[in-house]
Amino acid sequence: ALFSSFSAPAGAKLNRERLRSLFVPDGRIASAVAPGPGRPADVIFMTLDQYADLSDAETQKSGFFDKNVANHIQTFGVMAHVNATYESRANPEDKTPMARGIKSMDLVKSGGRWYILQVYWDTERPDNPIPKRYLRDESEDTAQ
């Protein structure tokens, strides 16, 4: 549901109600900023509306479609942590993704369903390849 809520065709806007329905009130989105010459790594925190505003500005030019590739899931009680490997494309039929990375998500189970507290991601770069173990599903029940 998160990946489809992050996706929209060119000229469209994100469904903000759908996006909000996945998060707890005051849930947040964060994006890693890679280190650069003379700059340490950093993070940008956004509210759901700030993220949607940025996304809507981009999807007015071209589409954006996130696809989930694999999940690593750990749970304890009402808590879950998911590392979700993703691929992003301008069009879902594009053979080659324009970006790949890992989204780190913290969730809480409340009222019989999971809600997202926070999503934080970093993208794959030549100096930051996705480890092979994150290209296949794994949960605490199957991890060895």
Side-chain angles (χ1 to χ4, degrees), residues 7-137:
S7 301
K13 293 184 177 185
L14 294 187
N15 181 336
R16 291 175 191 235
E17 286 182 36
R18 174 71 172 137
L19 184 62
R20 281 189 202 101
S21 76
L22 301 175
F23 285 78
V24 297
D26 297 324
R28 64 184 181 174
I29 296 174
S31 177
V33 177
R39 184 189 74 219
D42 202 352
V43 65
I44 298 170
F45 290 99
M46 296 169 268
T47 66
L48 302 181
D49 283 327
Q50 287 170 326
Y51 174 80
D53 288 344
L54 288 171
S55 178
D56 289 348
E58 288 302 312
T59 57
Q60 295 306 304
K61 302 175 211 168
S62 65
F64 181 84
F65 292 87
D66 251 355
K67 177 184 174 188
N68 183 235
V69 175
N71 294 313
H72 279 223
I73 303 169
Q74 297 175 313
T75 59
F76 178 75
V78 299
M79 302 182 328
H81 181 82
V82 179
N83 278 323
T85 304
Y86 70 89
E87 294 180 342
S88 302
R89 291 173 170 77
N91 185 310
E93 289 79 35
D94 291 349
K95 290 187 188 252
T96 305
M98 59 185 173
R100 294 183 348 149
I102 296 176
K103 287 182 170 44
S104 173
M105 296 179 264
D106 292 313
L107 299 96
V108 62
K109 191 168 190 177
S110 178
R113 63 161 277 198
W114 291 99
Y115 290 91
I116 301 168
L117 302 170
Q118 173 176 282
V119 175
Y120 172 58
W121 69 85
D122 196 1
T123 57
E124 183 176 48
R125 302 176 294 283
D127 66 334
N128 190 41
I130 295 173
K132 289 184 181 180
R133 72 180 181 274
Y134 287 105
L135 297 173
R136 64 181 186 281
D137 286 333

